[in-house]
Amino acid sequence: MKFSTVSNIGKVRSKNQDYFGNTKIDDYDFFIVADGMGGYKGGEIASKLATKYFVDFIENNKILDFASIVDFQETALKFANKKVYECSQTEQEYANMGTTVVCVCLDYKNMTYHVTHIGDSRAYIYTEGNLQQITRDHSLVNDLVDSGSITKSEAEHFVNKNTITRAVGVSETLKPESRSFDMHDGDIVLLVTDGLTNEVTDEEIESIVAQNDNADDISANLVDLAIKKGGHDNITVTTILI
């Protein structure tokens, strides 16, 4: 396994409110990417705290004490949510802060990926020449499409397209979403913030991944393309080569 993360402030923002981390426990690798929100300082703090406490929980608890890897990973994220929420309640300047999160456990023992997410940061898997988005954005526009209120084509131009419906740290309780997938040699996993996906299409992502076999090149080229196409937000890409 090889991996690379590139994070860039973009061309518009004054701060980079994205954050990322990783850790290894026995036969498992864990990765996390977070995209903060909530004012000038709040978003930066929220993403850092969520990442820190997620990694701390993973490193200081035993997987065997949990019902499953998914339970372990979701509990780690709930622990991070508790810490971010507590900070937002006690520090006035951080009130209403929160962060999206996407994380993945590479379970080598069972050759499986376990993906957990909150918000609109995404995970993709490139396998056998095809790119697949494996998370569903927790967003207002997706809820409206699912309810039949608007069509997918209308969603592309929806005025509140970037309004998310779930985030870490905005309430005491958290409802993460998780999925597990088979792992194959040669797979490429991407964890990305919406600074990438708001600028770059899935077809463009797939093309860059297909043309590069180096994790550093994939991450850097994706970030560069997002900047070239506007760079309106912070951009973070973690690329994992199996």
Side-chain angles (χ1 to χ4, degrees):
M1 186 274 296
K2 296 181 179 179
F3 73 93
S4 169
T5 300
V6 174
S7 188
N8 191 286
I9 195 171
K11 296 168 69 175
V12 175
R13 304 291 188 183
S14 59
K15 276 181 171 287
N16 190 344
Q17 297 188 333
D18 291 355
Y19 215 72
F20 58 91
N22 64 279
T23 189
K24 183 176 180 64
I25 305 292
D26 301 325
D27 294 322
Y28 309 95
D29 279 316
F30 294 85
F31 294 85
I32 179 171
V33 166
D35 179 1
M37 59 189 189
Y40 184 67
K41 292 183 179 180
E44 181 183 17
I45 296 299
S47 61
K48 284 184 178 180
L49 289 179
T51 299
K52 167 184 164 47
Y53 285 113
F54 175 84
V55 171
D56 283 353
F57 187 95
I58 296 295
E59 293 178 343
N60 292 289
N61 288 273
K62 296 180 180 179
I63 294 174
L64 293 178
D65 291 340
F66 296 83
S68 65
I69 297 295
V70 169
D71 181 38
F72 180 57
Q73 186 162 257
E74 288 191 351
T75 304
L77 197 54
K78 290 175 182 178
F79 176 73
N81 178 77
K82 177 175 179 289
K83 293 296 186 179
V84 176
Y85 181 73
E86 287 175 350
C87 181
S88 74
Q89 297 302 296
T90 57
E91 301 290 338
Q92 183 61 38
E93 63 180 331
Y94 302 142
N96 302 314
M97 71 176 177
T99 183
T100 69
V101 165
V102 59
C103 49
V104 63
C105 170
L106 276 58
D107 178 355
Y108 302 107
K109 191 173 183 180
N110 297 298
M111 292 299 289
T112 304
Y113 308 109
H114 308 286
V115 178
T116 301
H117 83 291
I118 289 286
D120 60 0
S121 290
R122 295 180 181 176
Y124 292 87
I125 291 179
Y126 181 82
T127 186
E128 298 181 349
N130 294 301
L131 183 76
Q132 178 187 5
Q133 180 183 335
I134 55 174
T135 53
R136 175 192 172 279
D137 295 351
H138 297 137
S139 64
L140 174 61
V141 67
N142 265 353
D143 288 349
L144 291 172
V145 170
D146 289 348
S147 69
S149 299
I150 62 173
T151 65
K152 287 186 177 181
S153 60
E154 289 172 334
E156 292 298 319
H157 307 287
F158 188 66
V159 65
N160 293 318
K161 186 177 179 180
N162 294 326
T163 301
I164 61 172
T165 55
R166 300 189 208 178
V168 170
V170 299
S171 67
E172 290 185 87
T173 59
L174 185 74
K175 187 179 179 182
E177 185 173 346
S178 297
R179 297 178 68 187
S180 298
F181 301 84
D182 292 337
M183 183 188 301
H184 305 97
D185 288 341
D187 284 351
I188 298 173
V189 178
L190 302 175
L191 304 181
V192 306
T193 60
D194 68 348
L196 177 78
T197 54
N198 285 339
E199 306 284 7
V200 180
T201 66
D202 285 2
E203 291 76 17
E204 289 170 325
I205 294 172
E206 184 176 77
S207 177
I208 285 177
V209 174
Q211 293 173 30
N212 295 275
D213 57 8
N214 179 282
D216 291 328
D217 291 342
I218 292 172
S219 294
N221 288 339
L222 286 172
V223 170
D224 287 348
L225 180 58
I227 293 171
K228 182 179 179 181
K229 295 187 70 176
H232 295 95
D233 199 355
N234 310 144
I235 311 144
T236 300
V237 176
T238 291
T239 303
I240 308 163
L241 272 57
I242 308 304

